[in-house]
Amino acid sequence: MLSGWLLALASASLLSSPHGCIAIPSPGPVAAGQPGLTIPLTRRAPPVRTVDDWAAWAQNERQFLALRYGSDSPQKRSEGVNLLTNQNADSSFFGSLAIGTPPVAFDVVLDTGSADLWVADTSCTSGCSKIALLEAASSSTLKNLSQPFQIQYGSGQAAGYLVQDVVQMAGFSVSNQVFAAVDQISSGLLTSPVSGLLGLAWQTIAASGATPFWQTLASSSGTWTDPVMSFQLTRFLNATNVKDDEPGGTFTMGFVNSSLYTGTIDYQNIPVTPSYWLLTMSSMTVQGKSITIPTGSAAYAAIDTGTTLVGGPSSAIQNIFAQIPGSAPGTGSWEGYYTYPCNTAVNVAISFGGPSWSVSPADFQLVQLSSSQCVGAFFVLSATSGGTGPSWVVGDTFLKNVYSVFRYSPASVGFAQLSETALAMNGVDGNAPSATIGSVSASATAGAGGFNGAGILCDFTDEPLEGELADEELRRLLVATDLTEGDCTGAETMRLLHTTCGLSSHWRVMWTVFLAPADLAASCLRGALPVCVSDGRCASLQSTHHR
């Protein structure tokens, strides 16, 4: 089974944002030979909040992240763009996607800190007022998988059942995407008009076990021009006369928008098996002075678009504020945060093994408590149980200052300096994008995942590839190779698997045969060290599959 901290982390990302997000409109059709779609983001201005409101939010943010991260040969293919909405003064950013046949548009938070897609449906009884709801009966292609789903957050939970249907976004479509139709949502988890969340992390932390929408597209040959997603987020935190919904920037799939950054993109590889988008934080300066931060695995940082602030180890946060005269630990509702003089412009720069990236003083300031005292946007992230979770969670406070790229292969995260074009969007009043349905320029089919039914999943070490076989073909494969519970590495078996998956013999291979629970289920991991199981339950297969 997946470890507890992975499940918790997958659950938490969406709701870690204190502010709201707004949907991105889908672009129109993509003409042959032209670049793909771009997704505009919308930002929503914050409602009037008292200091007590901010304090309650701040504590909820800490609790949420603690739980989520484990408290306890080039060829032109296709590209897509989704405009984002900035909700509640940089608190969260959301875009839009469409589900079903005929397609219906929904606003969803875009969250690189989790891996599940879920939306509220018409049977929802709590926490879902004034938002668009999924009506299962209205889609001719929706299939109820009759499997329960639940995600726990620091401030509540979302629960429902798993379904499968066509999902499209920014000109891309997955015909059999597994996601959750949620009928129970804790109060405050969603802010209108957002109907759910789209997880953009790796399948290894998906509570549902399903392959994430983005990962199916990135791994499908010929779907994306390049195996990347990118974000450019706007800043309205320090703007005046901000509306509830403001343009939030851009989310792209399959390419990077060269007009939104300058110079080169510095990519740093994920240091461990992909789960979250983890990087190793190598150094940090505050007011131009280097501070001491943890090293090794204690320096792992989750790059999380679904989190508003930056959380880190107690010692490191203390060292940050030690460089700011007049700062002090927060007390009461502000425990875990620090106050500092509002007239101090705080300059923080962070490196993840390459260049140092600066955080604007405007982003460092979370809220003003009085005429002289402000609260910083860097806070103490509670230690995880057993120390298995990432020590840092780096959210939008940092990400608004860079052009960020999330690359499928090799698994890595890249940052680049924002261009003048991108910077000119900050604080500029405009019409927020609305949820719309665009045309599909490329489609893909999700792999077998961890669900009942026959299928074969082939995964390269460096370039995963997914394929499926029908029940009859799988049964013939089993018969032809005389596969038994105790023998899953015969030469003929491996030959057929290599042929099916298009593998070369020198590649390390992981393959899994999924059959109905009553049948034999076998999983051979990486060829050299086979692991065979006779239990056909999906959970067993899924946990065996994850690396």
Side-chain angles (χ1 to χ4, degrees):
M1 296 179 64
L2 294 177
S3 63
W5 79 269
L6 286 179
L7 290 175
L9 178 55
S11 307
S13 181
L14 167 62
L15 300 155
S16 55
S17 287
H19 312 285
C21 308
I22 297 181
I24 338 167
S26 301
V30 178
Q34 292 184 347
L37 305 176
T38 297
I39 301 174
L41 306 179
T42 300
R43 167 191 180 277
R44 167 173 274 189
V48 177
R49 293 183 179 180
T50 66
V51 171
D52 288 342
D53 290 337
W54 275 108
W57 172 84
Q59 281 307 308
N60 180 67
E61 176 84 344
R62 288 188 70 225
Q63 293 168 6
F64 162 75
L65 288 177
L67 178 62
R68 174 182 194 171
Y69 287 91
S71 187
D72 145 356
S73 81
Q75 175 183 357
K76 188 67 175 179
R77 296 169 187 169
S78 195
E79 306 165 354
V81 178
N82 193 293
L83 299 182
L84 303 180
T85 295
N86 185 323
Q87 189 176 42
N88 292 335
D90 304 356
S91 294
S92 61
F93 297 82
F94 65 88
S96 67
L97 51 70
I99 296 173
T101 307
V104 177
F106 297 94
D107 290 327
V108 291
V109 172
L110 303 184
D111 181 20
T112 61
S114 68
D116 291 283
L117 167 61
W118 61 266
V119 294
D121 79 348
T122 52
S123 63
C124 186
T125 58
S126 62
C128 45
S129 61
K130 299 180 180 180
I131 62 175
L133 299 174
L134 175 71
E135 186 173 358
S138 68
S139 173
S140 62
T141 48
L142 186 141
K143 177 183 179 181
N144 188 338
L145 299 179
S146 300
Q147 296 185 33
F149 173 84
Q150 181 173 322
I151 281 186
Q152 183 69 45
Y153 297 94
S155 59
Q157 66 176 13
Y161 58 98
L162 295 179
V163 298
Q164 187 178 62
D165 205 348
V166 180
V167 174
Q168 57 179 283
M169 183 183 199
F172 298 107
S173 173
V174 173
S175 61
N176 60 340
Q177 181 64 51
V178 173
F179 62 96
V182 171
D183 52 23
Q184 298 176 43
I185 305 172
S186 296
S187 177
L189 286 186
L190 295 181
T191 300
S192 176
V194 175
S195 298
L197 175 144
L198 176 63
L200 297 171
W202 299 78
Q203 182 186 10
T204 43
I205 60 170
S208 64
T211 303
F213 178 80
W214 79 271
Q215 199 168 344
T216 294
L217 295 172
S219 62
S220 299
S221 178
T223 302
W224 281 1
T225 300
D226 295 308
V228 296
M229 306 178 288
S230 69
F231 284 87
Q232 168 256 328
L233 305 178
T234 59
R235 178 188 304 111
F236 280 80
L237 186 65
N238 59 342
T240 57
N241 301 318
V242 179
K243 300 195 303 287
D244 283 351
D245 300 341
E246 295 284 4
T250 303
F251 170 60
T252 70
M253 292 187 289
F255 78 114
V256 294
N257 188 334
S258 59
S259 71
L260 297 176
Y261 70 91
T262 184
T264 59
I265 299 172
D266 177 69
Y267 286 101
Q268 297 293 326
N269 290 340
I270 295 176
V272 293
T273 299
S275 55
Y276 302 104
W277 293 96
L278 294 178
L279 292 180
T280 300
M281 188 179 294
S282 57
S283 66
M284 179 183 294
T285 62
V286 181
Q287 307 299 59
K289 298 180 180 179
S290 295
I291 67 166
T292 299
I293 59 174
T295 59
S297 61
Y300 289 169
I303 310 303
D304 187 353
T305 60
T307 291
T308 306
L309 309 179
V310 176
S314 177
S315 61
I317 300 301
Q318 181 178 354
N319 291 341
I320 290 173
F321 286 91
Q323 304 302 319
I324 307 172
S327 64
T331 59
S333 297
W334 290 106
E335 181 181 358
Y337 290 81
Y338 279 74
T339 62
Y340 71 99
C342 294
N343 60 4
T344 300
V346 180
N347 294 284
V348 175
I350 305 173
S351 173
F352 298 95
S356 288
W357 307 101
S358 297
V359 175
S360 165
D363 290 319
F364 185 87
Q365 184 182 119
L366 172 59
V367 64
Q368 186 167 340
L369 295 181
S370 66
S371 59
S372 61
Q373 290 297 301
C374 286
V375 176
F378 284 58
F379 67 94
V380 175
L381 183 63
S382 299
T384 60
S385 176
T388 54
S391 299
W392 294 89
V393 179
V394 178
D396 301 333
T397 289
F398 171 82
L399 293 171
K400 285 178 288 180
N401 296 273
V402 295
Y403 186 79
S404 56
V405 185
F406 300 81
R407 185 167 63 179
Y408 174 69
S409 180
S412 52
V413 179
F415 299 124
Q417 294 286 352
L418 292 169
S419 68
E420 290 299 322
T421 298
L423 293 172
M425 300 180 192
N426 290 334
V428 177
D429 188 22
N431 295 323
S434 58
T436 58
I437 301 171
S439 63
V440 174
S441 61
S443 60
T445 302
F451 302 97
N452 289 341
I456 182 167
L457 176 64
C458 310
D459 196 350
F460 300 171
T461 299
D462 295 318
E463 299 182 6
L465 172 69
E466 296 177 0
E468 291 183 329
L469 296 177
D471 286 6
E472 294 277 338
E473 292 174 299
L474 268 177
R475 293 180 188 282
R476 282 200 297 270
L477 173 62
L478 291 175
V479 172
T481 59
D482 197 21
L483 184 64
T484 65
E485 180 178 342
D487 176 19
C488 62
T489 58
E492 179 64 7
T493 302
M494 296 307 294
R495 187 190 69 76
L496 288 174
L497 287 170
H498 282 207
T499 300
T500 301
C501 301
L503 303 177
S504 296
S505 59
H506 65 276
W507 275 331
R508 292 184 298 169
V509 180
M510 173 178 65
W511 60 270
T512 306
V513 176
F514 297 93
L515 295 178
D519 296 314
L520 170 68
S523 179
C524 296
L525 301 182
R526 305 195 180 199
L529 183 62
V531 176
C532 300
V533 293
S534 58
D535 188 342
R537 288 177 301 174
C538 297
S540 297
L541 287 173
Q542 192 62 39
S543 61
T544 301
H545 162 70
H546 283 143
R547 289 177 288 184

